[in-house]
Amino acid sequence: MRGLAAVPSYVVMQPTTLCNLDCAYCYLPFRAADRRMPVPVAEAVAAAVNPWAAAGRFSVVWHGGEPLAAGREHLAALIAPFGPEVEHHVQTNATLIDDAWCAFFVEHGVRVSVSVDGPRERNGDRVTRGGGPAYDRILRGVAALRRHGLPFSALAVVGRPEPGLATELYDYFLELGCDVLGVNIEETEGVNLRDNSHDAPLVTAFWAELVAAWRREPRIHLREVEWSLRYAGAVLDGSADDLLPRRLDPIPTVGHDGSVIVLSPELAGFTDVRYGDFASGNVLATPLAEILAHADRTPWVGEFLAGVEACRSSCPYFGFCGGGHAANRYFELGRFDGTQTAHCRNSKIHLLEGVLEHARDHQSPAA
Ligand code: SF4
């Protein structure tokens, strides 16, 4: 795996910077401002995406801010330029979802992923702009999805891994009715400066416990655990070298103003004296395909690719991880060519160790 691929597998779009919540761990710098994406930005992105979608599976992920805060009419106008082959996903806090939004999701074929951190007492960081708890509003949105029979994914942020939490979360999400679950250990990035370092044994035990909970009742696709098991299986059958793509997926994020940031949506909206605004171009001035063809010339991207090579030559987990996430390097280390971060320890190294710990604890005596 070397360099950036010219064609991504999905594009992240920011229909508005606004979020109606004010979660304590949020990384977004302009979430109180409603900077909306004009339709010509979506038209420019669609001009590149429609041929890619005609050639193979392709998704647009409407992210935010809170994407539903852009309103149904505006979101429909942004979706309109995309062809029927394009799959649409929305990452939402669910608080605005009602019957009308459910009808919208059906009409536009939008697949929904809901951010919720587990039972009520685990959602203390999820608050409204007035500082009140958001949990009941989130659940009202989830209830609307269930009433309409709409499948949904869930994304949970874990602030502090501790014994018993993984089982509690997994049981909660079984009951909630999601069909896919992603679990993120909170990250220090963007405007969230909270420390994300944890004791290694606690984090490893958290992941091992999550695998055990999932194996008891594997009714939900558990994103991180399934990746890890696929990797562990590939190591055993000697095909692990084929798992990483030959080139890094650039995963372009198109900001509300048309600027394109590759690899890390979390960099959108930030500037740095060394790296400028991190953008590789703007779709209102340059076709997206052309921006991506030259994205590795963006100064910070070259530095990041050097960091990936440093990971390749120094880290035994590289075959699983592929070299980590650009934003975590920047916000934790202040540069892109460092290697290990607290994020990669929490979410790659100890994840794989947790899966292996579970496997060791449950191997048959004859094995
Ligand atoms: S686990 Fe960390 S140090 Fe290892 S390859 Fe991934 S990002 Fe690099």
Side-chain angles (χ1 to χ4, degrees):
M1 189 190 67
R2 286 174 206 273
L4 294 185
V7 177
S9 59
Y10 64 99
V11 170
V12 180
M13 300 278 278
Q14 187 181 44
T16 173
T17 53
L18 180 69
C19 185
N20 58 326
L21 296 188
D22 196 18
C23 300
Y25 51 61
C26 183
Y27 62 85
L28 290 162
F30 300 120
R31 60 186 189 267
D34 188 8
R35 299 180 186 172
R36 290 199 184 187
M37 176 178 279
V39 171
V41 170
E43 288 169 344
V45 175
V49 160
N50 289 341
W52 291 335
R57 198 170 171 197
F58 199 94
S59 298
V60 169
V61 180
W62 299 91
H63 209 283
E66 165 53 45
L68 306 191
R72 276 186 296 282
E73 204 179 314
H74 191 59
L75 201 53
L78 295 175
I79 287 176
F82 293 93
E85 297 94 348
V86 177
E87 293 179 19
H88 292 277
H89 299 251
V90 71
Q91 181 64 46
T92 174
N93 62 35
T95 57
L96 299 172
I97 297 177
D98 57 10
D99 292 339
W101 271 111
C102 289
F104 179 97
F105 298 145
V106 172
E107 182 187 347
H108 296 280
V110 177
R111 164 91 206 192
V112 180
S113 176
V114 171
S115 309
V116 55
D117 296 342
R120 178 185 302 278
E121 55 280 11
R122 299 285 181 188
N123 281 264
D125 285 330
R126 313 294 310 280
V127 292
T128 63
R129 297 228 146 259
Y135 184 73
D136 288 338
R137 296 185 193 193
I138 296 169
L139 276 209
R140 270 205 299 277
V142 170
L145 292 170
R146 294 187 61 155
R147 213 166 43 243
H148 286 262
L150 292 174
F152 62 98
S153 309
L155 187 60
V157 173
V158 169
R160 209 179 57 247
E162 57 193 13
L165 175 57
T167 309
E168 177 189 329
L169 288 181
Y170 190 73
D171 290 347
Y172 173 85
F173 284 104
L174 275 176
E175 188 69 23
L176 193 71
C178 60
D179 54 10
V180 181
L181 173 62
V183 177
N184 283 357
I185 296 190
E186 185 180 330
E187 299 166 40
T188 305
E189 60 184 0
V191 295
N192 179 22
L193 304 177
R194 304 197 312 191
D195 182 26
N196 65 339
S197 48
H198 305 285
D199 287 346
L202 273 181
V203 184
T204 303
F206 170 82
W207 291 117
E209 185 186 319
L210 191 61
V211 184
W214 175 74
R215 288 197 56 194
R216 271 197 303 278
E217 205 171 342
R219 269 197 290 127
I220 299 178
H221 286 291
L222 195 50
R223 197 182 61 179
E224 286 73 17
V225 167
E226 291 183 18
W227 285 344
S228 315
L229 292 173
R230 203 172 310 137
Y231 177 73
V235 168
L236 289 176
D237 72 17
S239 62
D241 288 348
D242 304 332
L243 274 190
L244 290 177
R246 282 196 317 110
R247 289 176 171 272
L248 273 178
D249 191 331
I251 315 174
T253 294
V254 181
H256 68 96
D257 59 354
S259 58
V260 176
I261 309 253
V262 293
L263 297 166
S264 276
E266 299 85 357
L267 294 170
F270 287 88
T271 53
D272 181 290
V273 283
R274 291 180 62 221
Y275 308 112
D277 64 2
F278 301 99
S280 295
N282 189 303
V283 295
L284 293 176
T286 312
L288 180 58
E290 201 177 316
I291 292 173
L292 295 182
H294 304 297
D296 53 5
R297 293 186 201 156
T298 312
W300 75 264
V301 176
E303 189 178 294
F304 171 72
L305 293 174
V308 171
E309 293 312 307
C311 280
R312 186 197 306 276
S313 58
S314 66
C315 179
Y317 297 86
F318 182 83
F320 171 60
C321 163
H325 202 52
N328 299 105
R329 289 168 191 251
Y330 174 70
F331 288 114
E332 285 194 39
L333 309 176
R335 350 185 3 105
F336 292 94
D337 53 3
T339 54
Q340 215 179 87
T341 59
H343 168 70
C344 75
R345 284 190 290 278
N346 290 337
S347 301
K348 303 284 183 180
I349 294 174
H350 301 320
L351 163 62
L352 193 57
E353 287 174 346
V355 169
L356 296 177
E357 181 177 297
H358 172 84
R360 263 194 313 273
D361 291 349
H362 291 79
Q363 67 189 352
S364 67

